[in-house]
């Protein structure tokens, strides 16, 4: 099919000092002790990109960490992204949805984020971002240690390109 890309990949890592964590219990200060260990990591990736038009693009992907993943890395990562841009890329935006599994052992909401930009001049771009929209509902997302993730964030920034 024209204007599509299918990517398949695998990666192998041998690590003699991968950081890991004893998640059994925290010390008296509330910290979890780190240690280093040998690790053999095997990951696979599958991606699909479709340039629907010159200004509208769909990206999807799946990544699986099969062996010796770090405690803070997800077992599976599923991603979905829609990107659109206006005439001459003067303005545009993205809708990103990502789902990470295997971090806490519990089902969690996906991370839904949107961003947009407006090119003020050749060198200056105004950017707005809203990250983790679903956490506005008040349902928290937890990290590998059971701590609450930061939550929804909104950012407005000016990018200056030299």
């Amino acid at each position: 099919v024209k204007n599509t890309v299918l990517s398949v990949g695998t990666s192998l890592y041998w690590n003699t000092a991968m950081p890991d964590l004893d998640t059994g219990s925290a010390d008296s200060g509330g910290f979890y002790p780190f240690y280093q260990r040998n690790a053999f990591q095997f990951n696979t990736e599958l991606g699909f990109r479709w340039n629907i038009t010159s200004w509208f693009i769909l990206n999807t992907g799946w990544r699986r960490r099969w062996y010796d993943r770090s405690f803070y890395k997800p077992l599976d990562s599923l991603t979905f992204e829609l990107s659109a841009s206006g005439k001459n890329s003067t303005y545009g935006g993205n809708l990103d949805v990502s789902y990470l599994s295997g971090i806490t052992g519990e089902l969690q909401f996906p991370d839904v984020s949107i961003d947009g930009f407006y090119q003020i001049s050749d060198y200056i771009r105004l950017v707005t971002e809203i990250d983790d929209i679903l956490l506005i509902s008040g349902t928290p997302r937890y990290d590998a240690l059971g701590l609450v993730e930061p939550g929804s964030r909104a950012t407005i920034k000016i990018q200056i390109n030299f």
Side-chain angles (χ1 to χ4, degrees), residues 42-115:
F42 174 65
N43 306 322
T44 54
E45 295 181 32
L46 177 65
F48 177 75
R49 177 184 173 106
W50 179 22
N51 295 344
I52 300 167
T53 67
S54 62
W55 54 271
F56 195 60
I57 300 169
L58 166 71
N59 280 306
T60 61
W62 170 63
R63 179 179 185 154
R64 172 78 178 211
R65 292 174 175 87
W66 295 93
Y67 301 111
D68 278 347
R69 67 185 167 92
S70 299
F71 71 94
Y72 55 88
K73 298 284 187 177
L75 178 63
D76 289 294
S77 304
L78 298 169
T79 58
F80 175 82
E81 177 186 13
L82 284 175
S83 300
S85 61
K87 186 177 182 180
N88 299 327
S89 295
T90 304
Y91 55 91
N94 296 303
L95 168 67
D96 295 306
V97 179
S98 61
Y99 175 74
L100 309 175
S101 73
I103 296 176
T104 64
E106 296 180 14
L107 184 63
Q108 298 197 59
F109 280 112
D111 180 345
V112 178
S113 301
I114 59 172
D115 65 74

Side-chain angles (χ1 to χ4, degrees), residues 11-12 23 27 35 44 48 54 60 81 106 117 131 133 135:
S11 55
L12 298 171
T23 58
D27 65 17
Y35 63 94
T44 54
F48 177 75
S54 62
T60 61
E81 177 186 13
E106 296 180 14
F117 71 88
D131 296 318
I133 295 169
L135 291 190

